[in-house]
């Protein structure tokens, strides 16, 4: 039995309202009201043809009755709506274009045609579906590709083993979801779906932020239906697999994450930990203004004694000091069994964009290599 992709239609960007029961209906009932199947209704939501509403107290998305009336008032309803969401496979698409199914597949693999959805057949193979309207537009725009010999760029791309169907479908879905929401953290959640957990942890290194992003990920319009292996296939298709796409997704996620952090921080259990005072700060005594004069005098005496000692030791081999390093910074203590904290006067290194994209793990390995002593190579290494 085929498993349709109605499990991947999202409600990101849906209006969050207190929806009374009398003015809204479930998505399954709404699909029957407008005469669409579940898959067709899911595509209509994805294309923005039907707007969903999410109750404020949570729960499944719903469709307002005014939205149903708006659809019914359109000219040619329901045939016009069905034609806009009509999908075709490879065989029917090839007949519409007047070409062979093999040539249709080559166009799709080369990126000339973008799938709108997919389903899994009984053999768990992915069957891509395309909008019939888009195929008609492609035939009107590119009539020279439908006849004669394929151009050189298309042959070179196919000979290199290119298959742009999953990438084009993924890009189309991400762009649509980003256009449906203005919430910065919801946009981060959309882009987080394109990375695997390991790469996501490298970009979003805060576990509280990752948990918050996981709660904001797009929800299916009809709920998480379908078997587990179908949802796993969906999750696998959502993740970028080409190096160029991986780099592009990571860069976009970093920019959206920085913007979300500036707008508002991610919620944390017990409030913002940055507002909690550091250990030992509550026991620090309040400064006594009467002791300022004595402290200044002691500081002047210490400074004079340190300058004399440095002048006496300047003739030795240790006189070649590194310029720009303040002498007031104490040497770092030897690491003990407990956690080692950096001195408060030392400046923290600035993590650049390239390091956050893919060089963070390499930087940490080099730092560990410099700090750890050389060891013997074990057998089998």
């Amino acid at each position: 039995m085929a498993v349709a992709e109605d499990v991947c239609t999202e409600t990101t960007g849906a209006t969050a309202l207190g929806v009374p029961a009398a003015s809204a209906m479930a998505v399954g009932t709404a699909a029957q009201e407008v005469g669409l199947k579940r898959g067709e209704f899911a595509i209509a939501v994805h294309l923005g043809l039907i707007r969903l509403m999410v109750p404020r107290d949570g729960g499944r998305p719903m469709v307002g009755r005014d939205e149903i009336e708006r659809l019914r008032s359109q000219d040619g309803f329901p045939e016009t709506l069905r034609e806009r969401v009509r999908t075709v496979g490879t065989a029917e698409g090839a007949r519409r274009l007047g070409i062979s199914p093999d040539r249709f597949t080559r166009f799709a693999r080369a990126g000339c045609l973008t799938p709108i959805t997919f389903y899994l057949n009984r053999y768990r193979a992915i069957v891509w579906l395309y909008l019939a309207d888009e195929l008609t537009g492609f035939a009107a725009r590119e009539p020279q590709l439908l006849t004669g010999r394929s151009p050189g760029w298309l042959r070179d791309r196919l000979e290199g083993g290119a298959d742009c169907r999953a990438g084009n479908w993924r890009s189309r879905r991400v762009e649509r979801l980003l256009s449906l929401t203005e919430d910065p953290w919801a946009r981060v959640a959309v882009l987080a779906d394109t990375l695997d957990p390991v790469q996501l942890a490298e970009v979003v290194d805060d576990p509280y932020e990752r948990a918050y992003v996981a709660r904001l990920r797009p929800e299916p319009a009809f709920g998480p239906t379908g078997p587990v292996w179908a949802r796993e296939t969906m999750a696998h298709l959502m993740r970028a697999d080409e190096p160029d796409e991986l780099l592009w997704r990571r860069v976009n996620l970093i920019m959206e994450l920085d913007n979300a952090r500036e707008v508002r921080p991610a919620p944390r259990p017990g409030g913002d930990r940055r507002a909690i005072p550091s250990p030992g700060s509550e026991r620090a005594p309040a400064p006594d203004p009467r002791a300022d004069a004595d402290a200044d005098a002691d500081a002047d005496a210490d400074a004079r004694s340190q300058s004399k000692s440095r002048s006496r030791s300047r003739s030795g081999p240790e006189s070649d000091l590194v310029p720009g390093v303040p002498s007031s910074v104490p040497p770092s203590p030897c690491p003990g069994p407990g956690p080692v904290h950096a001195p408060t006067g030392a400046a923290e290194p600035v993590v650049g964009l390239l390091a956050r994209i893919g060089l963070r793990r390499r930087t940490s390995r080099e730092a560990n290599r410099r700090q750890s002593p050389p060891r013997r190579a074990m057998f089998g290494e």
Side-chain angles (χ1 to χ4, degrees):
M1 181 179 63
V3 179
E5 194 223 348
D6 56 2
V7 299
C8 69
T9 300
E10 304 76 12
T11 60
T12 298
T15 307
L17 298 173
V19 184
S23 61
M25 64 185 69
V27 290
T29 306
Q32 296 177 0
E33 290 289 334
V34 296
L36 296 180
K37 300 178 181 179
R38 290 170 61 97
E40 295 173 342
F41 188 88
I43 295 175
V45 173
H46 176 70
L47 296 177
L49 304 178
I50 300 177
R51 187 73 174 179
L52 301 184
M53 298 185 299
V54 180
R56 289 177 179 174
D57 55 351
R60 293 290 179 84
M62 307 183 74
V63 181
R65 296 189 179 275
D66 55 347
E67 181 72 7
I68 301 299
E69 296 300 328
R70 183 188 66 84
L71 294 173
R72 287 177 174 176
S73 62
Q74 295 178 353
D75 296 337
F77 176 85
E79 287 75 13
T80 303
L81 181 60
R82 288 202 193 102
E83 189 62 28
R84 297 181 67 179
V85 298
R86 188 183 303 277
T87 58
V88 296
T90 299
E92 186 176 353
R95 286 194 298 267
R96 281 177 172 261
L97 297 180
I99 58 179
S100 64
D102 183 66
R103 188 160 193 166
F104 185 94
T105 303
R106 290 201 302 268
F107 286 159
R109 291 175 61 93
C112 301
L113 304 174
T114 300
I116 184 62
T117 185
F118 68 91
Y119 71 90
L120 302 178
N121 59 14
R122 66 183 65 184
Y123 306 105
R124 302 186 182 183
I126 299 174
V127 180
W128 296 104
L129 300 177
Y130 307 84
L131 283 176
D133 282 349
E134 292 186 354
L135 296 184
T136 304
F138 173 77
R141 292 191 313 269
E142 305 290 343
Q144 68 280 0
L145 292 179
L146 303 180
T147 58
R149 184 178 176 85
S150 300
W153 61 267
L154 193 146
R155 294 195 305 269
D156 295 341
R157 187 175 299 180
L158 294 177
E159 290 175 0
D163 190 352
C164 303
R165 289 175 292 184
N168 287 348
W169 169 82
R170 185 165 46 245
S171 299
R172 182 176 194 165
R173 176 179 178 271
V174 170
E175 291 174 3
R176 179 59 189 171
L177 293 177
L178 291 178
S179 66
L180 289 176
T181 180
E182 295 295 335
D183 182 75
W185 284 103
R187 297 173 65 87
V188 172
V190 171
L191 294 173
D193 271 348
T194 61
L195 299 179
D196 58 52
V198 176
Q199 297 183 14
L200 180 61
E202 293 178 355
V203 179
V204 188
D205 52 1
D206 191 337
Y208 296 107
E209 291 180 345
R210 291 199 302 272
Y212 184 49
V213 168
R215 292 197 301 268
L216 295 178
R217 282 179 176 174
E219 291 290 338
F222 290 94
T225 58
V228 177
W229 53 267
R231 282 174 275 173
E232 292 177 352
T233 303
M234 170 66 189
H236 176 73
L237 287 176
M238 267 307 303
R239 293 169 184 169
D241 51 3
E242 295 293 335
D244 293 341
E245 186 183 2
L246 283 171
L247 179 62
W248 178 250
R249 298 302 179 192
R250 290 175 70 113
V251 169
N252 281 271
L253 178 57
I254 288 172
M255 293 188 296
E256 292 290 348
L257 181 62
D258 292 341
N259 180 51
R261 288 170 175 171
E262 292 178 0
V263 174
R264 70 176 187 275
R268 296 169 179 268
D272 195 351
R273 290 192 173 186
R274 290 173 294 183
I276 302 177
S278 58
S281 60
E282 296 181 355
R283 298 190 299 270
D288 189 0
R290 295 176 297 178
D292 290 344
D294 297 338
D296 293 340
D298 295 340
D300 294 340
D302 293 340
R304 286 194 298 271
S305 61
Q306 291 178 5
S307 62
K308 291 179 181 180
S309 61
R310 284 196 301 270
S311 62
R312 287 194 299 268
S313 61
R314 193 174 297 275
S315 59
E318 293 87 357
S319 60
D320 297 332
L321 301 178
V322 179
V325 178
S327 59
S328 60
V329 178
S332 59
C334 297
V340 179
H341 302 280
T344 56
E348 296 182 357
V350 179
V351 180
L353 180 61
L354 293 179
R356 297 175 64 184
I357 294 173
L359 302 181
R360 177 179 299 173
R361 184 177 298 176
R362 183 185 305 173
T363 304
S364 61
R365 289 199 299 264
E366 293 178 356
N368 295 334
R369 190 182 300 112
R370 289 194 299 266
Q371 293 177 1
S372 59
R375 63 182 182 89
R376 292 183 178 180
M378 302 296 293
F379 177 77
E381 293 185 348

